[in-house]
Amino acid sequence: MHTTSKYNILSKLFFTMLSISAVTFGGGFVIVTFMKRKFVDEFHWMDEEEMLDLTALAQSSPGAIAVNAAILVGWKMAGFVGMLAAVLGTILPPISILSVISFFYRMFAANPYVALMLRGMQAGVAAVILDVVCTLASGIWKRKRPVELLLMVVAFVATFFFHINVIYIILSAAGVGIILGLVSHRKEKRQK
């Protein structure tokens, strides 16, 4: 990769993640939505299916989803240095904001206007998370693979109605994915 283009990618990674992280509230799924809009829709660095895969990896790995997603996108675009640029852009705003908030914590905690503002932000965050769910689910729906659709419905029912721990659902879905991959691989071998 040419030095200038690598620098452009690194600066785009850093400043995109910095701007996304600075204005999003509500956790990793909210940031993933904005990452999808930038990296898939605007920059065309990856397609929707790849972003869906990166989101699944980021969610199923230990740590913050936003940082995990930044690691994966940064690594894909520019290797180790890209990963560092994306992660640094992702963590600088929350570290700065939380440092200020922790310094003035007592004042913020007792302020009723801050409490009202946070309540309003929760409603906005819920809407953004619903948007993420609909976008990711529509990607699965478009592929029209019955097993994936069934898995999506079963995972929803398991977590929403039966309150099964998400870790078990993710591990089970990963197991189903591995089995489907092995079956598909065997079919391809037999056809050759």
Side-chain angles (χ1 to χ4, degrees):
M1 187 181 299
H2 191 270
T3 307
T4 306
S5 64
K6 187 167 186 170
Y7 176 77
N8 288 340
I9 288 174
L10 290 174
S11 67
K12 264 188 179 179
L13 272 170
F14 176 78
F15 287 111
T16 299
M17 293 308 299
L18 184 76
S19 63
I20 289 172
S21 185
V23 298
T24 53
F25 295 88
F29 287 116
V30 178
I31 288 178
V32 167
T33 303
F34 287 102
M35 288 174 69
K36 184 243 179 226
R37 289 184 184 148
K38 280 291 191 183
F39 300 135
V40 174
D41 301 337
E42 187 178 325
F43 299 155
H44 305 289
W45 285 354
M46 61 187 73
D47 59 25
E48 269 192 46
E49 189 167 338
E50 190 172 12
M51 190 67 201
L52 184 62
D53 292 342
L54 290 177
T55 303
L57 282 171
Q59 181 185 8
S60 58
S61 301
I65 295 172
V67 175
N68 292 346
I71 288 169
L72 295 168
V73 170
W75 186 272
K76 179 192 182 311
M77 296 314 303
F80 184 76
V81 179
M83 176 189 70
L84 290 177
V87 168
L88 191 60
T90 302
I91 65 172
L92 276 177
I95 284 176
S96 304
I97 292 167
L98 287 173
S99 296
V100 170
I101 288 174
S102 67
F103 188 71
F104 297 106
Y105 178 74
R106 289 181 194 260
M107 185 175 70
F108 281 125
N111 189 321
Y113 297 109
V114 171
L116 291 172
M117 181 184 73
L118 290 173
R119 246 189 240 144
M121 288 170 59
Q122 287 174 351
V125 166
V128 172
I129 290 173
L130 181 62
D131 177 54
V132 173
V133 169
C134 292
T135 301
L136 295 177
S138 71
I140 293 171
W141 189 260
K142 287 177 188 174
R143 288 191 293 226
K144 296 184 180 172
R145 296 180 185 152
V147 175
E148 289 180 7
L149 292 171
L150 179 65
L151 187 60
M152 184 173 66
V153 171
V154 168
F156 173 76
V157 169
T159 189
F160 191 77
F161 293 109
F162 297 107
H163 308 288
I164 295 175
N165 191 317
V166 177
I167 293 171
Y168 299 127
I169 295 169
I170 291 170
L171 291 175
S172 299
V176 170
I178 290 169
I179 291 169
L180 290 175
L182 291 172
V183 169
S184 175
H185 183 69
R186 282 189 181 167
K187 282 183 183 178
E188 287 175 8
K189 270 187 158 181
R190 286 181 188 162
Q191 290 176 353
K192 290 180 183 179

